[in-house]
Amino acid sequence: MEASFFMPETPVFRYVDDPHGYFYGQDEVESPSTVFQDLGLVDTKWFKPEHRARGRAVHAGLHYALKGTLDWAPLDPQLHGYVKSGLKLVERLQPKVVRYETPLYHPGLRFAGTSDLEVERKGWREIWDWKSGKAPDVARYQTAAYEMLARVHTPMLFKRRAVELQEDGSIANLVKYDDHTDGAGWLNLLGAYRIRQALRRQKLAHFNIGE
């Protein structure tokens, strides 16, 4: 199913929700999640269908809750705490939401991604990424990638945050990423991924020639 209602105004870029992927024309382009998985930087146990479904449900719950249209009844009661945790943080900090989950593409670096939220707070634009529990170490590079994407469409400086949602419904923890070298770190990871892909294609090509 194509999430056309979240599409930026670029006719050649598209995001496909199921199966998850980003495309520029006919070519699939990288995103932080594909890079991290391929390089072994995330625990693959969280990429099982049930975990992916849980994450999507929590994200969707927060999305609609922030828009004031959430119907709590269909949401799994075991996930209510995560949503309430995020809402408590929003209530305390009172940010202005300026962009919800919007797939974006970087035409120069040719990668794509979707941050969960862009907000304005205390005169700054901030990127927020929801995490159901503790944020992984790669979140600093994930949010750096999202900042690069956001700046293509909104040329300004951003602050980057991971939001650690608590299962028990207590207020979420805001994790700050202020190291400006994280962007270089993301580009290094993206480069390493592309080198691995090129080497795999070379190996496959030699194998086919040998046959």
Side-chain angles (χ1 to χ4, degrees):
M1 182 179 75
E2 292 195 9
S4 57
F5 49 89
F6 283 146
M7 290 283 289
E9 296 178 3
T10 307
V12 293
F13 170 66
R14 60 193 175 94
Y15 165 68
V16 178
D17 182 56
D18 190 14
H20 179 79
Y22 301 89
F23 295 85
Y24 187 82
Q26 297 301 313
D27 299 326
E28 187 168 6
V29 296
E30 301 93 344
S31 66
S33 59
T34 57
V35 170
F36 298 151
Q37 289 179 59
D38 185 79
L39 296 179
L41 298 176
V42 291
D43 191 339
T44 55
K45 74 179 182 181
W46 302 115
F47 289 91
K48 294 179 180 178
E50 59 268 28
H51 296 136
R52 188 174 182 84
R54 183 188 73 171
R56 285 186 173 185
V58 171
H59 282 61
L62 284 161
H63 178 90
Y64 291 112
L66 291 173
K67 287 190 170 184
T69 59
L70 175 63
D71 180 359
W72 289 88
L75 184 64
D76 185 342
Q78 295 184 11
L79 305 181
H80 285 197
Y82 292 113
V83 176
K84 291 177 179 178
S85 176
L87 293 179
K88 285 179 181 178
L89 182 69
V90 170
E91 183 178 359
R92 173 177 291 183
L93 300 182
Q94 293 293 307
K96 176 186 176 183
V97 178
V98 293
R99 181 182 285 156
Y100 294 94
E101 299 178 61
T102 305
L104 298 174
Y105 174 71
H106 197 300
L109 298 172
R110 295 182 64 83
F111 73 89
T114 306
S115 64
D116 293 325
L117 210 61
E118 286 184 30
V119 303
E120 286 182 357
R121 190 169 70 93
K122 296 183 177 180
W124 281 87
R125 185 74 65 93
E126 296 184 351
I127 291 171
W128 286 17
D129 201 63
W130 307 119
K131 301 297 181 187
S132 300
K134 184 173 177 56
D137 292 338
V138 294
R140 65 175 55 253
Y141 305 118
Q142 182 181 16
T143 55
Y146 293 155
E147 180 182 7
M148 290 182 185
L149 292 168
R151 290 178 67 179
V152 169
H153 301 271
T154 308
M156 61 186 300
L157 294 176
F158 287 77
K159 291 186 176 182
R160 299 175 289 116
R161 307 290 184 249
V163 182
E164 296 178 334
L165 305 169
Q166 307 302 311
E167 186 177 10
D168 63 3
S170 58
I171 189 167
N173 180 42
L174 198 66
V175 181
K176 301 178 181 180
Y177 300 117
D178 297 326
D179 188 338
H180 296 296
T181 66
D182 289 343
W186 159 246
L187 293 179
N188 287 336
L189 294 173
L190 180 61
Y193 169 84
R194 288 175 173 168
I195 290 171
R196 281 169 61 97
Q197 292 296 97
L199 292 174
R200 286 169 180 159
R201 287 192 295 269
Q202 277 189 347
K203 184 176 181 180
L204 182 60
H206 288 309
F207 176 79
N208 290 336
I209 291 172
E211 287 190 327

